[in-house]
Amino acid sequence: MVATAFRHPVGIIQLHGSASDAGSASKCGHSSFRFISKNFAGQQRIVSALSTQAQTTYPSSSNSHVESALILIRRGESMWSEKNLFTGCVDVPLTKRGVDEAIEAGKRISNIPVDMIYTSSLIRAQMTAMLTMTQHHCKKVPIIMHNENRQARAWSQIYSGDTEKQSIPVITAWQLNERMYGELQGFNKLETAERYGMEQVHEWRRSYSSPPPNGESLEMCSHRAVAYFKDNIQPQLQSGRHVMVAAHGNSLRSIIMYLEKLTSQEVVSLELPTGLPLLYIYKEGKFMRRGSPVGPTQAGVYAYTEDLALCKQKLDEKF
């Protein structure tokens, strides 16, 4: 399968609504834990996320008291998107516009609690996540967790407890990468249409199950992205943590398909704007869409749950 080539640690939806929730007012911070993930070969490994001591037991998703925020952000404009090139899994950075989009996204979610961040293994998604957090009122520092080997874990360990409390773990996962576009990667989209025909290129780009030559279909991308979300991100939400995911058009479309129970016909029509955060509330095992907030001044974004309103109040008093 195409995805097996990317075994590294490792998507524009027009929606309206707002916010998400918080486990408690004190949950504007971050708790130490051990994060267990599965690599592509199916083996388990322990990822140290700001602590190698404590271990979290996740409550059942039926826990009616657990409410948590899920923020999804498609990466800002990349340098190849600007040139209208098929990018896929080629690792290119953001443009100046992409940087500005990420910063604006940060302003929109600046009062919404974030305990953990997940990104793809690609630099444009990681840049988006980091730039977004420069605007957050919690003033915590996002730190990429390195679990490539024992030495990487040891060399990146934080020894100051105070610094640890002011950090947010960032987990990178290749499963959240953009769809691999195969032999189209690097080609101009208009030139590709002239070469293969507009109907064929449209089929590759917008169908659910048709992959480009030696590439992934949206269905194939969905299998890896949704499996990772269910195995790794959803347990964090079940535990009451607030999670931000910075990824790509197709990996995020796949996750939204799962969250909103969309059909394969419905998901292909989703359009996700770059740099626009989308908020969901996870409660009682269900995801409730709240769209994108307009910024920290919109009180309605924070009024969906008492806990989220208390968290905003706490941040307002501090800053």
Side-chain angles (χ1 to χ4, degrees):
M1 185 174 177
V2 173
T4 59
F6 299 91
R7 297 188 182 182
H8 299 289
V10 212
I12 329 185
I13 184 168
Q14 299 163 341
L15 304 175
H16 302 280
S18 66
S20 84
D21 125 71
S24 68
S26 63
K27 284 292 295 171
C28 292
H30 140 86
S31 301
S32 297
F33 64 97
R34 297 177 78 198
F35 175 77
I36 303 176
S37 66
K38 295 179 180 178
N39 63 19
F40 194 76
Q43 298 173 332
Q44 288 192 333
R45 59 187 181 184
I46 304 298
V47 180
S48 173
L50 305 185
S51 172
T52 57
Q53 304 300 321
Q55 185 169 6
T56 296
T57 300
Y58 299 121
S60 168
S61 60
S62 62
N63 188 341
S64 61
H65 300 293
V66 173
E67 298 178 343
S68 49
L70 172 64
I71 303 168
L72 305 180
I73 303 179
R74 183 187 179 190
R75 52 76 186 164
E77 181 188 65
S78 75
M79 295 183 73
W80 271 19
S81 294
E82 182 183 43
K83 297 177 181 295
N84 200 32
L85 305 180
F86 282 102
T87 308
C89 287
V90 180
D91 207 358
V92 299
L94 299 179
T95 61
K96 173 61 167 60
R97 177 181 175 181
V99 169
D100 292 341
E101 287 175 334
I103 291 173
E104 180 60 30
K107 294 176 181 178
R108 285 175 173 260
I109 65 165
S110 59
N111 278 338
I112 297 174
V114 176
D115 296 315
M116 288 193 65
I117 299 171
Y118 288 84
T119 80
S120 75
S121 69
L122 303 174
I123 191 63
R124 58 192 185 273
Q126 296 178 26
M127 289 178 68
T128 299
M130 297 302 191
L131 290 166
T132 295
M133 292 308 297
T134 64
Q135 306 300 306
H136 204 280
H137 287 175
C138 74
K139 304 299 183 183
K140 293 191 174 184
V141 178
I143 298 178
I144 293 178
M145 298 292 101
H146 287 283
N147 190 53
E148 296 88 339
N149 50 53
R150 182 179 298 177
Q151 183 175 7
R153 290 192 292 272
W155 283 22
S156 62
Q157 185 172 345
I158 299 171
Y159 290 92
S160 168
D162 290 339
T163 300
E164 180 180 273
K165 292 176 182 177
Q166 293 301 315
S167 304
I168 296 178
V170 181
I171 310 298
T172 63
W174 70 265
Q175 292 92 333
L176 299 176
N177 281 9
E178 178 57 286
R179 177 154 72 108
M180 199 288 212
Y181 269 98
E183 295 177 14
L184 303 187
Q185 292 184 169
F187 278 99
N188 182 279
K189 294 176 182 178
L190 293 178
E191 293 176 351
T192 305
E194 294 175 358
R195 179 178 181 180
Y196 292 99
M198 292 186 63
E199 290 186 6
Q200 178 63 76
V201 174
H202 185 269
E203 174 74 10
W204 287 333
R205 296 186 65 188
R206 290 303 178 186
S207 71
Y208 183 66
S209 58
S210 297
N214 292 314
E216 284 185 309
S217 64
L218 176 57
E219 182 178 22
M220 295 161 70
C221 176
S222 178
H223 285 164
R224 59 172 165 85
V226 172
Y228 185 85
F229 182 90
K230 292 165 70 173
D231 289 346
N232 299 279
I233 300 175
Q234 191 163 337
Q236 301 295 342
L237 297 166
Q238 291 172 348
S239 73
R241 290 192 177 87
H242 310 296
V243 178
M244 182 173 79
V245 179
H248 308 268
N250 286 297
S251 54
L252 290 179
R253 287 164 75 200
S254 300
I255 291 172
I256 291 169
M257 180 182 183
Y258 166 68
L259 300 181
E260 302 192 19
K261 297 179 173 58
L262 303 180
T263 66
S264 58
Q265 290 75 31
E266 291 171 328
V267 71
V268 297
S269 65
L270 287 180
E271 293 294 335
L272 298 170
T274 55
L276 184 67
L278 302 175
L279 278 67
Y280 290 80
I281 294 173
Y282 179 82
K283 183 178 180 180
E284 298 178 350
K286 298 179 181 179
F287 291 92
M288 295 171 281
R289 188 181 72 206
R290 296 304 181 211
S292 180
V294 297
T297 59
Q298 185 186 13
V301 170
Y302 309 96
Y304 284 93
T305 71
E306 181 180 358
D307 287 337
L308 191 57
L310 289 173
C311 184
K312 178 182 183 298
Q313 180 181 357
K314 181 179 178 181
L315 286 169
D316 288 343
E317 291 173 351
K318 184 175 181 181
F319 301 104

